[in-house]
Amino acid sequence: MRFKKQKRHRKAVRFYTTCFGFREPFKVLCDGTFVHHLLSNQILPADAALAKVLGGRVKVFTTRCVLLELKALGPSYSKAFEAASNLSTARCDHEIRKHAVTCIMEVIGKSNAEHFFVATQDTDLKKQLQEIPGVPLIFGLRNALFMEQPTALERQFVKSSEEKRSHISEVELNLLQKVTKDDEEETEITNEDGDLVGKNSEMQVLEKKKKKRGNLNDLKDRPQFKRKKTKGPNPLSCLKKKKKVDPNQHPVSEKADDNTTKRTRKRKRARKTKTTAETGAT
């Protein structure tokens, strides 16, 4: 049962968020009867209990007229008055205290522009609010909180608003007619007999097109972006090609290579000069 209840609440919240623009943190406007019900059934804290129902962050509000009404009811509602005074007050602009039902109806208005969830135990207030599309209602039943499902009037209102969006308005229709007329004037290059128009008429058409599109010379001043061309691979990152070795060729020993490469140097002996003694003997 608890899972089914949460699923119904999620569907209702999704309906109001998508169709009427409700967003987190959700604003909940409470009257005196709902605050009294929370205290008598120990549904505390109120913001945490409401957050479970709506599945998101919550801000709880009340009005000045509701506070004054709770204060006037006497000591039996003193705890409810103290609890309600801790809530943030919604602007009602009533200098003289009014009945809580009329005050809340004026705060909601005709379209609920502030996107309030209304929490109440008053049946008369519920009936009046159900006639206004886009006003979700929350009520308490013993020690649990419930959210009412969207009414048939609200679903019909959403369907009619979607149909209006799909159709073209009169302003958009007039704009389309103007655009089509301008296009027809540009395409009319031939005369009534079907012959081609002279050079003068062609020049006039070209001038009109230039005025609408702007001077072509202004295009030179605009930044021109070069297209990126595909570049080759980085030569530094490429490996050098390995030489292919023929399998038929016999490997030559390193020693043989060394012998071939070495040069044979002949040592030249220096001739000794004949001494003076030998020369004298001869």
Side-chain angles (χ1 to χ4, degrees):
M1 289 294 289
R2 187 178 294 176
F3 178 73
K4 287 182 180 179
K5 185 179 78 170
Q6 288 176 355
K7 194 175 179 180
R8 276 189 275 112
H9 291 166
R10 253 187 269 122
K11 278 186 179 179
V13 172
R14 201 182 301 125
F15 174 81
Y16 287 109
T17 51
T18 53
C19 299
F20 293 98
F22 283 73
R23 294 288 179 271
E24 286 189 38
F26 299 118
K27 298 178 183 178
V28 182
L29 185 63
C30 303
D31 66 345
T33 58
F34 186 76
V35 175
H36 182 70
H37 179 81
L38 292 175
L39 290 171
S40 58
N41 289 281
Q42 295 296 315
I43 306 172
L44 298 170
D47 53 354
L50 290 165
K52 280 184 182 179
V53 175
L54 301 179
R57 291 178 291 116
V58 167
K59 281 186 178 181
V60 188
F61 291 85
T62 190
T63 62
R64 197 168 64 86
C65 296
V66 171
L67 290 170
L68 293 172
E69 190 178 61
L70 287 170
K71 191 177 181 180
L73 287 171
S76 57
Y77 285 85
S78 60
K79 290 182 179 179
F81 171 71
E82 289 176 2
S85 59
N86 293 326
L87 304 177
S88 51
T89 55
R91 191 175 177 182
C92 62
D93 295 332
H94 294 144
E95 294 180 359
I96 301 167
R97 179 174 68 87
K98 288 190 176 183
H99 196 269
V101 175
T102 55
C103 178
I104 289 169
M105 288 298 297
E106 287 182 9
V107 169
I108 295 298
K110 293 181 180 179
S111 60
N112 192 12
E114 293 292 327
H115 300 297
F116 278 116
F117 287 81
V118 180
T120 182
Q121 299 295 109
D122 195 345
T123 54
D124 294 332
L125 182 59
K126 282 182 187 178
K127 287 178 182 178
Q128 290 182 22
L129 290 170
Q130 281 173 352
E131 294 175 1
I132 302 167
V135 184
L137 297 172
I138 299 168
F139 64 94
L141 190 64
R142 293 179 184 174
N143 59 349
L145 298 178
F146 293 89
M147 182 180 173
E148 289 195 0
Q149 295 300 306
T151 59
L153 188 143
E154 286 177 332
R155 295 184 186 278
Q156 188 64 35
F157 176 80
V158 171
K159 282 184 181 178
S160 61
S161 62
E162 284 178 357
E163 286 175 359
K164 284 179 183 178
R165 286 173 192 169
S166 62
H167 295 302
I168 299 170
S169 62
E170 292 181 359
V171 178
E172 290 174 347
L173 212 158
N174 292 327
L175 286 168
L176 278 170
Q177 287 175 354
K178 283 181 182 179
V179 170
T180 49
K181 281 180 182 179
D182 293 336
D183 292 336
E184 285 174 0
E185 286 177 0
E186 287 181 1
T187 51
E188 283 178 356
I189 302 169
T190 55
N191 57 7
E192 294 178 355
D193 299 327
D195 298 329
L196 292 170
V197 183
K199 291 181 179 179
N200 295 327
S201 60
E202 287 181 359
M203 291 295 291
Q204 288 176 0
V205 172
L206 287 168
E207 285 177 2
K208 284 182 180 179
K209 286 182 178 180
K210 280 182 181 180
K211 285 179 182 178
K212 287 186 178 180
R213 293 176 184 174
N215 294 325
L216 294 171
N217 295 326
D218 296 338
L219 294 170
K220 294 178 182 178
D221 298 333
R222 293 180 185 177
Q224 295 178 356
F225 299 99
K226 292 181 180 179
R227 291 184 179 178
K228 290 183 178 180
K229 296 181 180 179
T230 53
K231 296 179 180 180
N234 188 1
L236 298 174
S237 64
C238 296
L239 294 171
K240 291 181 180 180
K241 290 182 179 180
K242 293 181 179 178
K243 292 181 180 180
K244 293 181 179 179
V245 180
D246 294 333
N248 299 323
Q249 189 177 358
H250 294 288
V252 182
S253 62
E254 292 180 358
K255 292 180 180 179
D257 292 337
D258 293 339
N259 293 327
T260 54
T261 54
K262 284 181 181 179
R263 289 182 183 179
T264 56
R265 291 183 182 179
K266 290 182 179 181
R267 189 173 180 183
K268 290 181 180 181
R269 292 181 179 179
R271 290 179 179 177
K272 292 181 180 180
T273 57
K274 290 180 179 182
T275 58
T276 53
E278 287 177 354
T279 53
T282 58

